[in-house]
Amino acid sequence: MDGATVQQIVQALERVYAANTAAADRKAAETECQQFKDDARAVAYGLYLAQPSNAQSPMVRYFGLQLIEHAIKQRFGTSKMPTEEALQLREQIWELVFASGQSDAREPQFIREKLVAILVMLVIRLWPSEQWTDLSAQLMHLYSQTAGHRELALRVWQTLGEELLVYDRDALATVRKHELTNGIVGALLPKSAVMELYPNGYRLSTDPGVANPATAKGGKRATLIVLEPGNEDGWILRWMQHAGEVAQQQSGGLSDEHEAQIVQLLETTATFLDWMPIKAVVATELVPRLAALLGVRSARVRQHAAAALEIVSRRNVPAGEERDAILLQFVEAGDGAALGAIAQAYATTLAPQLDAHWDDAGDALACARALAQISANLTTLHWARK
């Protein structure tokens, strides 16, 4: 690594962020930083600057990650960043992500978020493919380590879901939407649900072209859904089971750490609820699992569980078996435990229980609104069954 260039980058950043830098000098330093982004060696410099072992300031490390991010956006798929180089970069980013999770001194959140964003950019471009078949296994390994690693693994899934299903900020996510959706079907859903939804193992797309003429119909293309060994339950069931286990272990009240764990698990799950096939919702027993969390002694957990249930209850489900299946999840699963839990949670938002269960009346009102909306949504679903 060219030490002189590294020092030049650090000095330019210091001039950008120093309070006493003259406007003209700051502008010149910003231009210099932009030129480094366009340098052919930007990725190498970015990796060096981002390494925690190189004792750079968070500001410098963040800029190193920006160099990598810019290179992926501008160069991926070109002669300046062929697939082989991108795959090598993937391994280097994994190392940074893992180091971030095990750091004794907690990483600044903005660095962790940038690492996640870069990893997701690579996922969008490279997975699922013959070159990348083990994303679930890699994230499972990350998830099974420390609390910091688990948080990063969840943020990867949540960010991928947001890019694919919500924001459309990355053009490559739109271009590869069929392949990426196949990937999350195989990774997030239980194998039993996948086999019921796609008995021949192929999922059809409305995109032009035919990937498998033997199974494609009406100009659609069919591609194989890859199921990784060891991930038969799927990630969504794993998240909900973990949330339930943490809640049961803390029956006397949640610590801040355990509350944050459950909330993140619910936030990550909620990212996929509008997309999740109804048969998978039923297979994972999602509704009774969410309803059980309404009884946790935590305002944040109750709010997030209620919000997730509200998403499920307002799904635009076609008439027939799927609509009945959603209603039965609320009415029959656990002998009506879901509806009972909703009623009990609503009762805590009213006097005389309000003060005993809620520290903030505004939080209680927000939760009550979500619970009331669930009831309204279920009524609409019931009367629109035919």
Side-chain angles (χ1 to χ4, degrees), residues 127 133-141 143 157 182-195 225-239 241 275 284:
W127 176 83
T133 61
D134 60 348
L135 177 64
S136 278
Q138 290 174 307
L139 286 172
M140 206 175 300
H141 175 66
Y143 188 85
W157 281 122
N182 270 12
I184 63 172
V185 165
L188 300 186
L189 308 186
K191 181 179 180 179
S192 59
V194 175
M195 299 309 296
I225 296 171
V226 178
L227 298 169
E228 284 190 39
N231 189 41
E232 286 76 14
D233 287 342
W235 277 94
I236 289 178
L237 179 56
R238 184 175 297 117
W239 297 331
Q241 288 175 332
W275 160 83
T284 55

Side-chain angles (χ1 to χ4, degrees), residues 3 5 42 133 158 167 212 218 227 254 262 272 296 306 323-324 326:
T5 302
T133 61
Q158 184 176 356
Y167 296 129
N212 190 314
L227 298 169
L254 293 177
I262 297 177
F272 298 95
V296 174
R323 184 168 292 177
D324 288 346
I326 281 292

